[in-house]
Amino acid sequence: MKRTLLTVAVAAMFCNAALAQSQDARKVVDGYKAKIEASDRDIADAKKGGLSKTWENRGKLFVESAKANTKGVYASMPAAKSDANLFNNLELIMGAPNEKKAEGDMELWVYPTVTYYIQNGQVQYWKETYVADPDALGKAVQAYKKAAELDPKGAYKDKKSTMDLVKDLRSTLFNNGINAYQLKDFKSAANNFANALELSDFPKAENDTAISDGQIAYYAGLCANDAGDKTQAEKMFKKAASLNYQVGSCYHYIYTITKENGDEAAAFKIISDAYKKYPKEEQLLYDVINYYLEKKQYDEAENYLNTAIKSHPDNLILYTVKASMYVTNYGTIKDKYKADVDKISSLKKEAFRARNNAAEKARVEGEIVEQQKVAAATKSDYMANQKKAADCYGQVLAKDANNYDALFMLGILSYDKAEIVQIEKDAIPMSEDKDGSLAAAKDKEIHAYWKESCEWFEKAHKAKPTEANPLQNLKMLYYKLGDTANNARVKAELDKL
């Protein structure tokens, strides 16, 4: 019986709220405006303005006025009444909207002072269009701080009633910050979170554990960053880090902001010092790695990548990043190898021109021998980086046999090896290959690499059938190999994408 009576009482409360909202909502807001004007007069009064209670009442008034439009509506609340939510829905609390209209994938419920954004039958966020004071909650913060300052006994902050008021205000500011963020009003969101943080010197009630100051500071930093206020963002991220909240992410943003300001040395010191202090923060390790990769300081990057892989052996991205470093290396080495081979060709022509001058010919042939050693060393370096890259991708496949990125890149590696052989084939002098056997041997080697490349691209296609890149590469390779059947098959599959 008691439960039934309680349910009826709750229903009556919400019905009364809906009835009140169905009246002219602007009049309600105007009523708060009048009360705020009266409060302004009270704090200007020599006697009343010096009383802690005057300022506490002012804080309560601002909080009430800030909540006047929404009446306790919250994100994820069901919009329309149904048997499943008879006493907990937007329609019951606010009444029928003046207008419903579509905006993108949202349905807007328009009321005289507020518009709600509805998706999948639930409130997502809202935008107030007529308010008593746009900075009501910020002024509430200052009012409570003033009330504490004027308390003659100095015990205002420690009272349970004060703790409850502050908890309510912090929660309202936090939720308003989230709501403003959803509206992409990042400046307003940042202000809400910053205002909530100003209450951090008030003791918290025992049950005030849902939102931490570190979380508030972090969100303030994110929103200030999105709003373009980098100075405020950096300040908030430093605050959040000092409160041990999302430390790795905080220092990542501080590092990025400093770097964007053009001080790369200071930026690197920030991130490297942070990593030394918090070695278990994965984000900091990645930032250090990326710094060295950007600077092309690959030895240092490799050392940190090895540390990262040892600490996070199941993070496959680390292996692919390490592999990509070797791919970049051998790409640069390939250009050097071509230059080395071209120099050998040039020296051979020089030797031919000196064929009737024994001394000069001997000198040039000596240079050819030395240059061939240089070219061989360059090729060895190329192949070593190729193998290191292949080993990294192999480690990925050992953990995930159908990993698309590893399969695709192994196809690229095989194709790149064929390019090295092509450089060698192009450098064969006609005078040394009159029967074409040397070129034919190189063609055989090239075709073997192409076929190997096709095998990897076929596996990559199987791993991700809707991705066009493997098919496009296969089409090109099968054409080069003269494999018309597979070329036609691949072309047909491409046409279906």
Side-chain angles (χ1 to χ4, degrees):
M1 175 64 73
K2 287 182 181 179
R3 182 164 185 165
T4 302
L5 288 173
L6 179 60
T7 304
V8 172
V10 171
M13 178 181 71
F14 279 118
C15 288
N16 289 337
L19 179 62
Q21 181 61 30
S22 67
Q23 299 170 357
D24 187 355
R26 292 177 71 92
K27 287 183 178 179
V28 175
V29 174
D30 287 339
Y32 277 108
K33 285 186 175 184
K35 291 178 182 178
I36 289 170
E37 289 176 0
S39 176
D40 290 342
R41 291 192 293 271
D42 285 345
I43 62 171
D45 181 87
K47 184 176 180 181
K48 291 182 179 179
L51 298 176
S52 175
K53 192 65 178 177
T54 300
W55 288 92
E56 179 181 83
N57 289 338
R58 181 176 174 83
K60 290 178 182 177
L61 173 61
F62 277 122
V63 174
E64 287 175 12
S65 72
K67 294 180 174 183
N69 285 332
T70 54
K71 301 287 184 184
V73 175
Y74 56 87
S76 79
M77 173 179 273
K81 283 187 277 191
S82 71
D83 292 340
N85 57 56
L86 283 174
F87 309 124
N88 182 38
N89 58 76
L90 174 65
E91 193 173 9
L92 176 67
I93 294 175
M94 299 296 295
N98 291 15
E99 179 187 5
K100 291 183 182 180
K101 58 184 181 181
E103 185 178 290
D105 58 353
M106 295 282 186
E107 182 182 39
L108 274 58
W109 286 27
V110 182
Y111 292 89
T113 61
V114 61
T115 297
Y116 290 93
Y117 291 73
I118 313 298
Q119 188 177 54
N120 299 325
Q122 294 184 331
V123 175
Q124 300 301 313
Y125 47 90
W126 54 87
K127 184 176 183 178
E128 295 183 69
T129 53
Y130 188 68
V131 296
D133 189 308
D135 189 31
L137 294 176
K139 290 178 179 178
V141 171
Q142 298 307 316
Y144 288 148
K145 291 178 76 171
K146 189 69 174 179
E149 178 188 324
L150 293 174
D151 178 37
K153 296 181 180 179
Y156 180 78
K157 288 183 177 180
D158 297 317
K159 294 195 303 184
K160 182 182 181 305
S161 58
T162 302
M163 292 182 188
D164 290 339
L165 291 173
V166 169
K167 177 186 175 183
D168 181 42
L169 177 52
R170 286 173 74 252
S171 176
T172 304
L173 281 162
F174 186 82
N175 290 330
N176 276 24
I178 297 293
N179 191 65
Y181 181 85
Q182 295 278 27
L183 288 166
K184 300 190 185 305
D185 185 355
F186 302 122
K187 183 177 180 180
S188 176
N191 286 339
N192 274 283
F193 293 128
N195 280 327
L197 203 59
E198 282 203 49
L199 295 167
S200 59
D201 58 344
F202 280 79
K204 292 183 177 63
E206 288 185 9
N207 63 347
D208 189 3
T209 57
I211 308 166
S212 71
D213 287 341
Q215 184 180 16
I216 292 171
Y218 181 71
Y219 284 11
L222 290 177
C223 294
N225 192 55
D226 285 340
D229 189 346
K230 303 297 182 178
T231 301
Q232 176 69 358
E234 183 177 1
K235 177 183 175 182
M236 290 295 100
F237 286 129
K238 285 180 177 178
K239 178 67 174 176
S242 73
L243 294 169
N244 207 34
Y245 187 86
Q246 297 288 344
V247 172
S249 184
C250 286
Y251 277 106
H252 168 75
Y253 279 109
I254 296 167
Y255 162 68
T256 302
I257 290 168
T258 307
K259 191 177 174 185
E260 288 172 352
N261 287 336
D263 196 342
E264 286 202 11
F268 180 67
K269 187 175 189 320
I270 286 168
I271 206 66
S272 57
D273 287 351
Y275 175 62
K276 289 173 186 175
K277 187 175 181 180
Y278 303 101
K280 292 185 179 180
E281 287 291 338
E282 202 169 342
Q283 179 62 61
L284 302 180
L285 176 56
Y286 297 162
D287 282 331
V288 172
I289 291 168
N290 286 330
Y291 174 86
Y292 283 123
L293 288 173
E294 288 171 8
K295 294 295 182 183
K296 298 183 179 180
Q297 297 178 16
Y298 296 125
D299 289 342
E300 291 85 351
E302 184 175 6
N303 289 335
Y304 280 99
L305 276 164
N306 290 337
T307 298
I309 289 170
K310 185 177 180 180
S311 301
H312 311 284
D314 294 324
N315 187 340
L316 300 186
I317 293 174
L318 293 171
Y319 300 93
T320 58
V321 169
K322 188 177 178 182
S324 68
M325 181 180 69
Y326 297 130
V327 171
T328 301
N329 278 349
Y330 80 64
T332 302
I333 296 167
K334 182 183 77 173
D335 294 337
K336 183 181 184 304
Y337 184 63
K338 186 177 186 311
D340 289 346
V341 171
D342 286 345
K343 188 171 181 180
I344 293 171
S345 297
S346 179
L347 287 168
K348 285 182 176 180
K349 290 176 183 177
E350 188 177 342
F352 178 77
R353 289 192 296 270
R355 62 189 178 278
N356 296 322
N357 184 331
E360 180 63 14
K361 182 182 177 185
R363 183 190 67 77
V364 176
E365 285 177 343
E367 285 192 34
I368 290 172
V369 171
E370 292 304 314
Q371 184 59 29
Q372 285 173 334
K373 292 178 182 178
V374 170
T378 303
K379 183 176 180 179
S380 177
D381 194 11
Y382 177 95
M383 298 306 292
N385 275 273
Q386 265 261 347
K387 185 180 184 306
K388 287 179 181 179
D391 287 346
C392 287
Y393 293 127
Q395 288 175 290
V396 172
L397 294 177
K399 294 176 180 292
D400 176 10
N402 294 313
N403 186 278
Y404 168 81
D405 292 328
L407 293 168
F408 182 81
M409 285 306 301
L410 283 166
I412 294 292
L413 262 61
S414 296
Y415 184 80
D416 287 346
K417 281 189 280 189
E419 287 195 327
I420 284 289
V421 182
Q422 185 68 50
I423 289 171
E424 295 169 348
K425 177 191 171 185
D426 292 342
I428 298 173
M430 292 277 294
S431 59
E432 294 179 13
D433 193 28
K434 292 178 181 178
D435 63 354
S437 61
L438 294 179
K442 291 296 180 184
D443 277 335
K444 185 177 180 180
E445 195 175 349
I446 289 169
H447 285 201
Y449 284 134
W450 283 350
K451 288 176 182 177
E452 182 182 286
S453 189
C454 285
E455 292 173 7
W456 288 117
F457 287 137
E458 290 284 9
K459 291 178 181 179
H461 170 56
K462 187 177 180 181
K464 194 176 284 190
T466 59
E467 179 57 56
N469 283 338
L471 291 173
Q472 289 169 343
N473 288 342
L474 285 166
K475 179 185 173 184
M476 176 266 294
L477 285 168
Y478 285 135
Y479 176 80
K480 286 186 173 186
L481 288 165
D483 189 338
T484 54
N486 275 320
N487 179 267
R489 170 181 62 82
V490 169
K491 187 178 183 300
E493 289 190 59
L494 263 174
D495 291 341
K496 293 177 184 178
L497 293 181

